[in-house]
Amino acid sequence: MSYINEKFLLKNKTAERLYNDYAKDMPIFDYHCHLPEKQILENKPFADIYEIWLSGDHYKWRLMRNFGVDEEYITGGASNKDKFLAYCRTLGTAFGNPLYHWSQVELEEYFGCKHEINEANAEKIWNECNEYIAKNKVTPQALIEGSNVTHVFTTNEVFDDLSTFEKIKEKGYKFSVIPAFRADKIMNIDAEKYLEFLGNLEALTHKIKNIDDLESALEKRLKAFIEVGARASDIALEAVYKIPEKYEANEVLEAVIAGEKPSEADTRCFKGYLTYFLMGLYAKYDIVTELHMGAMRNNNSVMLAKLGLDTGFDSISEKNSTSQLSRLLDRLNSEGALPRLILFNLNPKMNTELMSLLGCFQSSRAKGAVQYGAAWWFLDNKVGMEKHLEDLTATGHIGAFVGMLTDSRSFLSYPRHHYFRRILCTYLGTLIENGEMTSNMDIVGEVVKDICYNNAKNYFGA
């Protein structure tokens, strides 16, 4: 039997009450994920537990590499079953890793499988879960609806096909699927395929010869996203860069279009300007900006060439600084062009610095108009979430917090929200039992419900 029980991560009676009476049954507002919308539309039953659990999940791939598993059993040509058995063998001794918890919860919640995940039980788990999948025809729709999700914000590049979202709407699912606008492939001017990405944008808008053409093309695409319901955008940066003059960014763009390779300084210049332009554009159309900072990407060039992007070779960066972010936010604010903003930081050493900076740009246009986002990626674990809550309450207002994000490519990732909710309830329950805050459950319970769902729903205007 599994070690997971009703008191999992709930360290006192007050935490148990907060979770069971207020947090547990709240819906999920998935305002940032990487689920493939075409797969949601097709809604085909999954073939086996590997397909639904391991295929495309670089969190799990990374853990297997740390255990010395050969790439053949991760992304290579080994059978689905052999890859699954290798993951179970890996997970059996991964004590303390969030996947050790998440994977166990996923098996129980979605397949009713209560075996502890380890090498000895791997064969039984494979057989039981596959039998469940075959009998119940497990589909993306069933998993999302069964997880009590009301909204799914996928992450889509500017040139993605938006007709999929209209077709999903016609399906009549109990949840909505909406694209979040992401222009990273147009911002990353140093990418090898940049001209190809620019051509994809041109095919949907008009010829792009200079920065004015690019700006108008991006605005056209944002309007198209808004027509299918978009309420959020996403920007991913290792660090925020200085805002150059527009003509400087134009010179970089025209040179790249002419076939020149941008220098590192050129790349920073272009990214600095486009970040400023995009955030101002999002403010113009009242679109929330989700800014993800602090990831150093594609560290292993050999594996990048072999497997491509988003395969588990990114890490935490030391580059992110408050100084350029301060100048960016201040300029946008001075121009009346600062959008509602959720900042996700990957470097926990920067929590307090960034939270204190965001507090300088709040306003009455929304509760928590400028948000410090949930513990993200390498930080969405017990230690990271606890530190995030401690820092958030020390420098901000927890009652305005929009709560957890999924940030996943897996349809089984929704238990992460309950993982966070248990940690949240233990955090508040401990303060109550220590006599450090009110014990009025009517007040505290409503705050818990707001963080779990209501704040996000109101923040995004859903």
Side-chain angles (χ1 to χ4, degrees):
M1 292 294 290
S2 165
Y3 56 87
I4 301 293
N5 57 49
E6 292 182 356
K7 296 182 180 181
F8 176 61
L9 297 178
L10 301 173
K11 295 183 178 180
N12 52 59
K13 293 294 184 182
T14 307
E16 291 176 34
R17 183 180 172 190
L18 286 173
Y19 180 73
N20 289 308
D21 292 354
Y22 299 98
K24 182 179 179 181
D25 296 324
M26 290 300 292
I28 291 173
F29 196 113
D30 190 7
Y31 60 84
H32 179 80
C33 74
H34 299 277
L35 293 178
E37 64 275 5
K38 286 184 170 59
Q39 196 171 354
I40 297 173
L41 173 63
E42 291 170 354
N43 203 35
K44 293 180 179 178
F46 292 94
D48 59 32
I49 183 63
Y50 167 82
E51 182 182 353
I52 193 173
W53 209 37
L54 280 165
S55 177
D57 193 338
H58 61 75
Y59 277 70
K60 295 183 175 78
W61 298 349
R62 187 181 178 96
L63 184 67
M64 294 170 76
R65 293 182 187 120
N66 283 337
F67 197 55
V69 176
D70 190 276
E71 197 68 29
E72 178 74 4
Y73 295 90
I74 303 172
T75 61
S79 68
N80 287 2
K81 181 177 181 179
D82 285 343
K83 289 177 180 177
F84 176 83
L85 297 179
Y87 180 62
C88 290
R89 183 171 65 252
T90 299
L91 204 65
T93 52
F95 313 129
N97 188 285
L99 285 167
Y100 184 76
H101 292 151
W102 295 345
S103 298
Q104 195 71 57
V105 173
E106 288 165 9
L107 280 193
E108 294 194 29
E109 183 164 324
Y110 293 111
F111 307 108
C113 182
K114 296 184 178 295
H115 300 300
E116 279 199 13
I117 304 171
N118 54 43
E119 186 173 13
N121 290 331
E123 189 86 27
K124 287 185 288 187
I125 295 171
W126 171 262
N127 291 331
E128 283 189 21
C129 289
N130 285 343
E131 183 179 341
Y132 181 95
I133 290 169
K135 181 179 179 180
N136 294 278
K137 294 184 179 179
V138 177
T139 64
Q141 176 191 1
L143 292 171
I144 296 172
E145 290 182 352
S147 300
N148 198 18
V149 179
T150 63
H151 297 76
V152 176
F153 286 10
T154 58
T155 306
N156 294 85
E157 286 295 335
V158 296
F159 40 72
D160 283 356
D161 178 11
L162 298 180
S163 67
T164 302
F165 297 94
E166 294 288 5
K167 294 173 184 175
I168 291 174
K169 192 174 182 180
E170 294 170 1
K171 288 275 191 174
Y173 295 155
K174 295 178 182 177
F175 55 91
S176 64
V177 183
I178 300 170
F181 185 87
R182 188 170 192 168
D184 286 6
K185 283 186 167 63
I186 301 301
M187 181 182 290
N188 294 334
I189 198 165
D190 53 335
E192 287 186 13
K193 295 184 177 181
Y194 186 76
L195 293 180
E196 178 184 326
F197 299 148
L198 204 63
N200 292 338
L201 177 58
E202 287 180 327
L204 294 168
T205 55
H206 51 247
K207 187 67 177 175
I208 298 172
K209 298 179 180 179
N210 53 46
I211 198 74
D212 286 325
D213 293 338
L214 179 60
E215 289 180 356
S216 61
L218 289 170
E219 185 166 8
K220 283 182 180 179
R221 287 304 289 165
L222 179 59
K223 288 180 179 179
F225 272 65
I226 292 170
E227 286 178 4
V228 295
R231 299 185 179 97
S233 62
D234 184 59
I235 300 174
L237 294 169
E238 183 172 352
V240 172
Y241 302 108
K242 180 181 178 182
I243 307 170
E245 295 296 327
K246 182 175 179 177
Y247 77 85
E248 295 176 287
N250 184 59
E251 289 175 354
V252 174
L253 178 61
E254 289 185 346
V256 169
I257 291 173
E260 295 182 25
K261 185 175 181 180
S263 66
E264 186 175 339
D266 291 336
T267 300
R268 289 197 300 269
C269 169
F270 188 76
K271 288 184 178 181
Y273 179 78
L274 214 60
T275 302
Y276 159 73
F277 166 76
L278 286 168
M279 289 181 68
L281 182 66
Y282 301 150
K284 177 180 177 180
Y285 290 95
D286 196 27
I287 294 295
V288 174
T289 298
E290 299 180 23
L291 177 58
H292 292 77
M293 286 177 55
M296 185 161 58
R297 299 179 185 272
N298 309 315
N299 293 283
N300 188 326
S301 57
V302 173
M303 296 307 289
L304 175 63
K306 182 178 180 180
L307 300 177
L309 302 172
D310 302 319
T311 51
F313 297 96
D314 303 333
S315 63
I316 297 172
S317 174
E318 288 281 345
K319 282 187 179 180
N320 53 331
S321 150
T322 56
S323 57
Q324 295 303 335
L325 178 61
S326 169
R327 294 306 84 214
L328 172 65
L329 299 182
D330 185 56
R331 179 162 170 183
L332 290 167
N333 187 62
S334 298
E335 295 171 352
L338 180 63
R340 283 172 292 149
L341 170 67
I342 306 176
L343 176 68
F344 296 95
N345 165 45
L346 200 54
N347 191 332
K349 293 188 291 186
M350 298 295 294
N351 277 6
T352 304
E353 292 90 337
L354 290 167
M355 285 185 190
S356 64
L357 174 61
L358 296 184
C360 301
F361 297 97
Q362 300 293 359
S363 71
S364 60
R365 61 199 159 125
K367 185 169 74 171
V370 182
Q371 290 267 337
Y372 193 80
W376 162 59
W377 200 346
F378 293 112
L379 307 183
D380 60 357
N381 49 60
K382 182 173 176 287
V383 173
M385 290 179 189
E386 289 172 343
K387 177 172 173 52
H388 174 272
L389 290 170
E390 290 172 357
D391 292 338
L392 178 62
T393 51
T395 58
H397 197 306
I398 195 169
F401 181 35
V402 294
M404 187 61 178
L405 76 165
T406 308
D407 190 39
S408 175
R409 291 163 176 80
S410 170
F411 289 97
L412 299 185
S413 291
Y414 289 111
R416 295 180 190 181
H417 285 260
H418 293 284
Y419 184 80
F420 162 76
R421 291 175 184 185
R422 288 173 180 269
I423 292 170
L424 169 67
C425 291
T426 285
Y427 178 75
L428 294 176
T430 300
L431 291 178
I432 291 171
E433 295 207 354
N434 288 346
E436 297 178 49
M437 61 175 278
T438 181
S439 60
N440 185 324
M441 286 296 177
D442 290 335
I443 296 174
V444 182
E446 286 305 310
V447 170
V448 168
K449 290 165 68 175
D450 285 347
I451 294 170
C452 290
Y453 180 75
N454 296 329
N455 283 346
K457 185 176 186 294
N458 292 332
Y459 190 80
F460 288 97

